[in-house]
Amino acid sequence: MGADTGGAGDRTADREGGRPERTDGSAPGPGPDTGTGTGRVPRRDHAVRAAVEQGLLGPDRPVVALLDVTGIRASAAALHAAFEEVTAPGTPVLHAFAVKATPLVPVLRLLHEQGVGAEVASPGELALAAAAGIPPGRTVLDSPAKTPAELREALALGVAVNADNPQELDRIDALVRSTDTASSIGIRVNPQVGAGSIGALSTATATSKFGVALRDEGARAWIVRAYADRPWLTRLHAHTGSQGVPLPLMARGVAETYALAEEINRHVGRHQVDTLDIGGGLPVDFGSDATAPTYAQYARLLARTAPGLFDGRYGLVTEFGRSLLAKHGTVLARVEYTKSAGGRAVAVTHAGVQVATRTVYAPGSWPLRIAAYDAEGRPKAGPDVVQDVAGPACFAGDLLAEGRPLPLLEQGDHVAALDTGAYYFAHHYAYNSLARPGVYGFTPAGDTVRFAVVREPQPLTEIVAESGGAHARSLTDL
């Protein structure tokens, strides 16, 4: 067993493919990205105005999501370059995008063409990865609740599998005895190194629901025996980081996992664990346009913390998600009305809890930057006025921003919720049966902008169908 760890509709669609020629973090086309986001901002401003001019946004389409294709390519190139810098030549490395971050097939296809695979955690995500053309050998299945059917399918396809717990490993035992599989199989461990600033996203606490708790009594010995008894276990997996987790804590979790792999291999007397899946979780700076921290900073820290990880003895898998996409997404909404309440200006828009659920319900952990644009889609000028930016849902807490200093918004203006390319508009929350917005990718094209459909705006007929429209009489006929 063993898997390779190497390497829509169209308005004016971008059909370029393949890895970017440059690997220093810059991108093809105008406006190269740097760590400061200097190329990203003018591209975004250009795209906002073009979206208004080309009718993607207007009175009948009051909210839309935009994805910066140039920026996504640049992030993928920067990820490749960062690990190429620290790994020994010839080391097999698979960067697998965490599909949960932006589960949109055209996005997965774009990343696939940039040399990025897929990390999936459900049958739905596996189906999305397959629809994007990502081969099973470049796909990794992680989930704390895999069914027998999910495991059977993954092993039949040759998808890599990380077992979350001893009971799941028992299920895999039975399947391996009856299935000829090309899947690489490993165990996920929880190094229990501590929490970051957002408890709900801290995956390496003492009581995290993920993986085998490495410091619990008897756990480490059980893991070593599990590998000794199963020569087909060749991977070891841990995921320490996420938003709010500092880099040194992430690196410590990886170092603990590397030390465990070394212990296993010494115990069995051979190089059985040949691949380490170090997860993802690089945090994102939501407070500015800067890309910080960078993949290069993280890779260099890992090389200092666990240098043996990169000496060529181990293949590597990463599972980055938010950090690849967040900076390259923008939710753009029309200001429908403005008013004043308690002496504070309020702009009522069409972007709220349905596209920014985390921000609305946990604004302290997930604040978003807001940019103001005028009716023509140009950056709005004027003195800052403290105001609320409200969404369309029928509850008082539906606010994108509260008490935020911005140029005074007026009816017909537009607001942009920045850094929303991951875990925002692709994770629709159907409060008030609000429709999913259309999603469009964009690239600069001289003086204009080319847009490509990623996802069509949701029609009302689909909302009715999803809400049992075909069974309208089912209860009254009982």
Side-chain angles (χ1 to χ4, degrees):
M1 290 173 286
D4 179 17
T5 56
D10 189 2
R11 281 183 175 260
T12 43
D14 182 356
R15 303 192 182 279
E16 296 175 66
R19 282 277 302 276
E21 290 184 1
R22 300 187 64 175
T23 57
D24 59 359
S26 65
D33 271 324
T34 68
T36 61
T38 52
R40 186 183 309 126
V41 177
R43 285 200 308 272
R44 181 177 67 226
D45 289 347
H46 197 187
V48 170
R49 184 164 186 182
V52 175
E53 292 174 344
Q54 297 183 32
L56 298 184
L57 188 73
D60 297 327
R61 286 188 170 189
V63 60
V64 70
L66 305 179
L67 281 168
D68 180 356
V69 174
T70 301
I72 295 171
R73 285 180 171 144
S75 284
L79 174 57
H80 285 294
F83 280 81
E84 287 167 0
E85 178 185 327
V86 298
T87 52
T91 300
V93 179
L94 171 63
H95 297 297
F97 175 66
V99 172
K100 59 183 173 288
T102 310
L104 296 168
V105 171
V107 170
L108 306 183
R109 180 69 184 187
L110 174 65
L111 290 170
H112 170 51
E113 292 187 354
Q114 306 306 301
V116 177
E119 184 264 341
V120 301
S122 72
E125 290 184 355
L126 180 57
L128 294 178
I134 300 174
R138 296 184 62 78
T139 303
V140 181
L141 175 62
D142 293 318
S143 164
K146 306 179 194 73
T147 67
E150 289 175 57
L151 291 168
R152 190 177 300 109
E153 179 185 16
L155 295 177
L157 291 172
V159 169
V161 176
N162 290 315
D164 180 81
N165 55 72
Q167 292 176 356
E168 184 181 330
L169 188 59
D170 288 341
R171 284 184 174 176
I172 294 174
D173 275 336
L175 290 170
V176 166
R177 286 194 294 268
S178 62
T179 304
D180 184 15
T181 180
S183 295
S184 293
I185 303 173
I187 296 176
R188 177 172 182 167
V189 298
N190 170 12
Q192 295 176 294
V193 293
S197 62
I198 304 176
L201 296 188
S202 296
T203 57
T205 63
T207 57
S208 171
K209 73 176 189 178
F210 294 105
V212 178
L214 190 54
R215 298 185 184 186
D216 280 15
E217 185 177 357
R220 193 179 193 98
W222 176 85
I223 292 169
V224 173
R225 287 197 307 273
Y227 279 82
D229 294 342
R230 298 167 179 84
W232 42 266
L233 280 176
T234 59
R235 288 190 175 186
L236 194 62
H237 172 47
H239 175 69
T240 302
S242 198
Q243 192 65 22
V245 177
L247 293 194
L249 190 64
M250 292 175 60
R252 184 179 164 199
V254 172
E256 293 278 350
T257 309
Y258 164 74
L260 177 59
E262 294 280 88
E263 180 180 342
I264 292 168
N265 286 342
R266 284 195 302 270
H267 179 81
V268 300
R270 60 184 180 278
H271 193 64
Q272 179 174 321
V273 177
D274 60 19
T275 300
L276 293 179
D277 183 336
I278 63 173
L282 194 72
V284 170
D285 176 8
F286 285 97
S288 76
D289 279 303
T291 299
T294 66
Y295 292 123
Q297 289 169 332
Y298 182 44
R300 290 166 188 161
L301 176 60
L302 288 176
R304 294 193 298 271
T305 307
L309 182 67
F310 298 107
D311 64 10
R313 290 178 299 124
Y314 292 98
L316 294 174
V317 178
T318 72
E319 300 173 355
F320 295 104
R322 179 183 292 107
S323 56
L324 275 167
L325 264 292
K327 287 292 182 183
H328 310 306
T330 301
V331 173
L332 188 61
R334 190 170 182 269
V335 177
E336 195 66 45
Y337 302 111
T338 58
K339 55 186 177 180
S340 178
R344 180 181 291 173
V346 180
V348 181
T349 80
H350 290 271
V353 71
Q354 86 278 29
V355 291
T357 313
R358 282 177 167 174
T359 293
V360 168
Y361 285 124
S365 295
W366 298 101
L368 284 175
R369 292 181 300 131
I370 305 295
Y373 294 87
D374 66 18
E376 284 73 45
R378 297 170 300 196
K380 185 147 191 173
D384 283 346
V385 175
V386 174
Q387 56 199 298
D388 292 350
V389 180
C394 288
F395 74 98
D398 187 28
L399 299 170
L400 278 183
E402 186 173 6
R404 190 71 59 87
L406 293 165
L408 184 63
L409 292 163
E410 301 171 280
Q411 187 176 30
D413 284 346
H414 302 91
V415 296
L418 309 181
D419 304 333
T420 49
Y423 297 103
Y424 279 91
F425 50 75
H427 297 72
H428 188 76
Y429 178 42
Y431 199 102
N432 284 146
S433 296
L434 291 163
R436 291 189 292 269
V439 181
Y440 301 87
F442 69 86
T443 58
D447 293 332
T448 187
V449 174
R450 297 187 297 173
F451 290 99
V453 176
V454 175
R455 184 184 68 197
E456 296 280 1
Q458 185 181 29
L460 296 183
T461 53
E462 187 174 308
I463 295 177
V464 173
E466 289 181 350
S467 300
H471 310 285
R473 297 183 60 88
S474 65
L475 299 182
T476 56
D477 289 344
L478 276 176

